[in-house]
């Protein structure tokens, strides 16, 4: 009788054929209501040092929008393409989330906008921000990174962004409600200060919004209703940068960090944490190929995890070995 000590390990599902998909830079991942994997990628566009001027204005408008479908819906077991949408709309895709009604919510850092798309690939249902115009008032974003919708209230939360340091809440129909956050002052980063709020995880069970505070290498969590700081989750093993955070109901928090400077010790890896205690219960890296710039992570209730990498242009699948062990009786 093999004892199951209940220790939790995830490892790459090496039978997942999604590692050789011809993708552009993979910026966002989400799971839809059927647990299909949804990928937001940049097709033939890339974000590099020539993409923006010093005032964060996108420089490659002449390229036109990405002609490929930027939103791909895949079977989570065999990576077969089920649907594709989002062509001729975006310039530099970034964040992706799916609301409880199956709408896709995305951000575009070149357009400085947030889009709500119905699953039918018709006209966008809602657009926030002013195309190609960076800014920091109620109607402008600056390279917005992610969006999350509260399944209970329909409130919309936007992490804004590379060139702002705030979280903005909008009403379900897109009216500005409130914002919180400020730039990290020199020296130690205080609660509520950000240096690239890069990814959002909405935690309905605890009525909290957690933010990957990328360049501060930490996760900060806030009250959904008030934006009040609740706590920080930070570990030495995160290293310098924490890129993405994702929550799966049942209490597990997933994250991916950034590549360290050569001389630094902390490797680029995925983390599984107990949301309540903040403690790390497992870490993971691929068996095939290696993480280069893991940019988003998403997990389903059966502890299947997907990681998308914006430089490797790859999506890995991980599964909990608990499930993979064969029970001997
Ligand atoms: O962080 C960067 N990019 C990634 O996050 C991404 O979303 O591609 C970046 C920074 C400087 C220049 C060019 C790209």
């Amino acid at each position: 009788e093999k004892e199951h000590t209940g220790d939790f390990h995830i490892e790459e599902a090496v039978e997942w054929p999604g590692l050789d998909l011809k993708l552009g830079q993979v910026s966002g991942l989400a799971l839809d209501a059927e647990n299909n994997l949804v990928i937001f990628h940049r097709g033939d566009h890339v974000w590099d040092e020539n993409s923006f001027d010093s005032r964060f204005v996108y420089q490659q408008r002449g390229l036109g929008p990405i002609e490929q479908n930027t939103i791909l819906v895949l079977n989570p077991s065999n990576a077969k393409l089920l649907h594709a949408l989002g062509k001729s709309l975006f310039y530099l895709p970034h964040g992706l989330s799916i609301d409880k009604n199956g709408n896709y919510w995305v951000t575009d850092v070149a357009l400085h906008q947030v889009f709500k798309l119905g699953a039918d690939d018709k006209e966008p249902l809602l657009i926030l921000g002013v195309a190609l115009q960076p800014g920091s008032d109620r109607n402008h974003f600056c390279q917005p990174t992610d969006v999350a919708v509260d399944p209970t209230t329909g409130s919309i939360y936007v992490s804004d962004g590379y060139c702002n340091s705030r979280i903005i809440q909008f009403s379900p129909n897109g009216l500005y409600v409130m914002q919180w956050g400020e730039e990290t002052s020199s020296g130690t980063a205080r609660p509520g200060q950000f240096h690239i709020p890069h990814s959002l995880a909405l935690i309905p069970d605890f009525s909290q919004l957690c933010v990957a505070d990328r360049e501060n290498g930490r996760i900060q969590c806030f009250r959904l209703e008030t934006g009040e700081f609740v706590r920080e989750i930070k570990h030495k093993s995160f290293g310098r940068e924490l890129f993405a955070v994702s929550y799966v109901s049942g209490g597990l928090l997933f994250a991916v960090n950034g590549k360290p400077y050569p001389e630094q010790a902390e490797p680029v890896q995925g983390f599984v944490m107990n949301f309540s205690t903040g403690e790390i219960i497992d870490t993971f890296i691929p068996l095939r190929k290696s993480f280069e710039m893991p940019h988003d992570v998403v997990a389903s209730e059966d502890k299947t995890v997907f990681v998308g990498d914006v430089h490797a242009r790859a999506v890995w699948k991980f599964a909990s070995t608990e499930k993979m062990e064969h029970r001997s009786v």
Side-chain angles (χ1 to χ4, degrees), residues 25 27 42 47-49 93-94 162 198 214 243 293 295 310-311:
Q25 293 188 316
S27 63
R42 297 178 180 150
W47 180 358
D48 59 26
E49 48 294 327
H94 199 276
Y162 283 82
H198 192 255
R214 174 171 149 178
F243 268 67
M293 185 182 264
H295 201 260
V310 74
H311 283 177

Side-chain angles (χ1 to χ4, degrees), residues 11-308:
E11 64 183 33
E12 186 190 349
V14 291
E15 78 287 349
W16 158 256
L19 215 45
D20 51 20
L21 296 170
K22 294 278 163 281
L23 298 169
Q25 293 188 316
V26 177
S27 63
L29 296 180
L31 293 170
D32 70 12
E34 286 81 44
N35 263 339
N36 296 319
L37 174 68
V38 184
I39 300 173
F40 195 30
H41 76 111
R42 297 178 180 150
D44 57 2
H45 283 204
V46 294
W47 180 358
D48 59 26
E49 48 294 327
N50 308 314
S51 301
F52 294 90
D53 69 8
S54 59
R55 297 189 351 272
F56 308 107
V57 174
Y58 182 57
Q59 298 295 298
Q60 290 153 348
R61 262 190 78 184
L63 293 176
I66 299 163
E67 286 313 319
Q68 295 95 327
N69 281 312
T70 55
I71 299 174
L72 308 175
V73 183
L74 274 62
N75 176 307
S77 305
N78 59 22
K80 285 264 176 297
L81 187 65
L82 301 172
H83 317 291
L85 60 150
K87 67 162 59 171
S88 319
L89 266 178
F90 305 116
Y91 290 78
L92 282 179
H94 199 276
L96 163 70
S97 71
I98 302 175
D99 69 20
K100 69 169 187 187
N101 303 321
N103 300 302
Y104 301 111
W105 293 80
V106 296
T107 74
D108 183 313
V109 291
L111 289 170
H112 304 287
Q113 289 181 302
V114 172
F115 293 75
K116 175 186 184 181
L117 301 176
D120 59 5
D121 196 18
K122 296 277 176 296
E123 289 303 298
L125 299 170
L126 179 70
I127 302 179
L128 302 174
V130 179
L132 299 162
Q133 286 188 25
S136 49
D137 61 17
R138 299 180 165 199
N139 310 307
H140 294 78
F141 302 114
C142 194
Q143 296 173 330
T145 54
D146 206 1
V147 47
V149 180
D150 184 332
T152 313
T153 64
S155 294
I156 305 159
Y157 295 86
V158 178
S159 41
D160 177 41
Y162 283 82
C163 28
N164 281 333
S165 302
R166 60 178 181 171
I167 306 297
I168 312 170
Q169 181 191 347
F170 296 91
S171 67
N173 51 12
L175 299 180
Y176 177 95
V177 173
M178 63 142 176
Q179 69 178 57
W180 71 89
E182 57 182 38
E183 201 171 351
T184 298
S185 41
S186 55
T188 51
R190 291 201 300 275
Q193 295 188 334
F194 296 110
H195 185 182
I196 307 184
H198 192 255
S199 161
L200 296 175
L202 198 145
I203 328 278
D205 313 338
F206 293 85
S207 235
Q208 289 182 37
L209 184 73
C210 294
V211 185
D213 185 5
R214 174 171 149 178
E215 299 304 305
N216 286 327
R218 65 179 181 177
I219 297 165
Q220 293 189 74
C221 299
F222 304 88
R223 288 250 152 277
L224 278 170
E225 304 79 14
T226 60
E228 180 195 1
F229 174 80
V230 174
R231 64 151 173 189
E232 167 191 277
I233 299 174
K234 184 166 187 172
H235 296 281
K236 189 177 175 319
S237 52
F238 284 176
R240 193 168 50 92
E241 295 174 303
L242 202 276
F243 268 67
V245 62
S246 182
Y247 177 78
V248 69
S249 56
L252 289 183
L253 199 64
F254 294 82
V256 283
N257 67 348
K259 214 168 193 165
Y261 288 128
E263 73 288 347
Q264 278 182 330
E266 307 311 334
V268 58
Q269 58 189 333
F271 302 87
V272 188
M273 287 161 279
N274 173 318
F275 176 75
S276 302
T277 65
E279 287 313 304
I280 294 173
I281 54 179
D282 194 19
T283 62
F284 57 96
I285 59 169
L287 294 165
R288 299 175 290 173
K289 297 167 72 162
S290 315
F291 285 154
E292 291 181 31
M293 185 182 264
H295 201 260
D296 203 0
V297 57
V298 72
S300 61
E301 299 199 9
D302 69 357
K303 315 290 183 286
T304 301
V305 183
F306 292 94
V307 173

